[in-house]
Every structure is written in C-alpha cells, then in structure tokens.
Amino acid sequence: MSHRRSSSLFLAAVTAATAALTLAAPTASAAPIPLPHHRSAVGVTGAGHHGPGGRPAPVGAGPEDAGLAGSYAPLPQGPVDHLTVTVRDSGSARTDGTFELYCHPYRGSTHRQARSACAKLDGMTKWGRDPFAPVPQNAQCTMMYGGPATAHVTGTWAGRPVNADFRRTNGCEISRWGRFEPLLPATTS
C-alpha cells in the first residue's frame, strides 16, 4: 500500500511541477521577429543589412565581399520591403489615402516621403524585435486624445509579414504613431 501511495504522490508532484512551469514560462509573442537582409556589391544576399549599432551596413563592406568582386555571377534579387499604408482622418486630404512604400530599392513608391520613411524603418529594425508591435494591453497610458486619425499598414518588412493598426486614442498610441513618422503623417489634431 505504501508503494501505491508514494507512486500517486510522485505523480501528483510531477503534475503540479509541470503546471507551475507552464504558468511561469514566458509566453511567446505572436508578432514576427524582423530578419533584416541585404544585397552586397557582388550580389551575395544574407541576413543583416544593418551593421554594428543598428546602422545600415555600407554595400561592399561585408566579409563576404572581400576579394570576390567579379568572381561570382549576381544572385537573383531577394524580397523587396513593401508596405501598403492606408491613412484616414489625419486632418489633411493630402495625407489621407492609400500609399505604397517600396524600400531596397525605392522604385514604385507612391509614398510622399519614401526615402525618409525607409530610413526611419531601417533604424527601427533590430534583431529579435518587432518594430510594428502594438502597445501592450497592460500599458499604463495617459488619457489624452490625439484626434480621429487611423492608419493600417500591411505588407512585408525585413522578410516578415506586417499587419499593424495605428490610432491616436491615448498617450501610448500617440507616441507609437510619432515613432513611425514619416511613414505615418504628422497629424493636425
């Protein structure tokens, strides 16, 4: 009888420990983790179009470029960073609407500030972080209203899908919107 009781006690302890570990484990974010990419001077594509400190690496500066000029045929172009930005109620007919943003290369953009928007997003892209992550649900935000402006951003950035909504309903959301200017327009609230 004591063997049967110790087995059931052991089973109960294992079950309790497993439940505790499951509850204590950090939850994985459903948001994509950006994986920057670049195309070197000789056509080599790889992870990390950002150099040390998060700044864009100069073309031809990577170790894969050393002594390779002319040795290999260029690889096909990798995925292009492309976002569709839809803005409503920004306070200006000029900035409301749907705009296409292409980065790396910029060709085909209808966004009014394509180069500066791409540069801003390049600076925000860090390994292991989703630059488009929403404000956390438990964030303590000031109760201020920044106006009725809304934006929806979809597409691909750094090889990862993007589907983000922006609004100006409290201090946290206003601050998040501001971090994305000039991708999102400065508003007149």
Side-chain angles (χ1 to χ4, degrees), residues 20-46:
L21 286 175
T22 303
L23 292 174
T27 58
S29 171
I33 298 173
L35 179 60
H37 60 277
H38 77 280
R39 185 174 171 89
S40 70
V42 295
V44 177
T45 304

Side-chain angles (χ1 to χ4, degrees), residues 27-107:
T27 58
S29 171
I33 298 173
L35 179 60
H37 60 277
H38 77 280
R39 185 174 171 89
S40 70
V42 295
V44 177
T45 304
H49 70 271
H50 290 87
R55 290 183 292 283
V59 174
E64 71 277 5
D65 294 332
L68 296 180
S71 300
Y72 297 99
L75 296 174
Q77 179 68 36
V80 174
D81 293 323
H82 170 242
L83 299 173
T84 301
V85 182
T86 302
V87 179
R88 293 193 177 106
D89 302 320
S90 68
S92 169
R94 183 175 172 254
T95 57
D96 280 354
T98 300
F99 307 95
E100 301 294 327
L101 177 69
Y102 290 91
C103 301
H104 317 113
Y106 305 100
R107 290 186 297 263

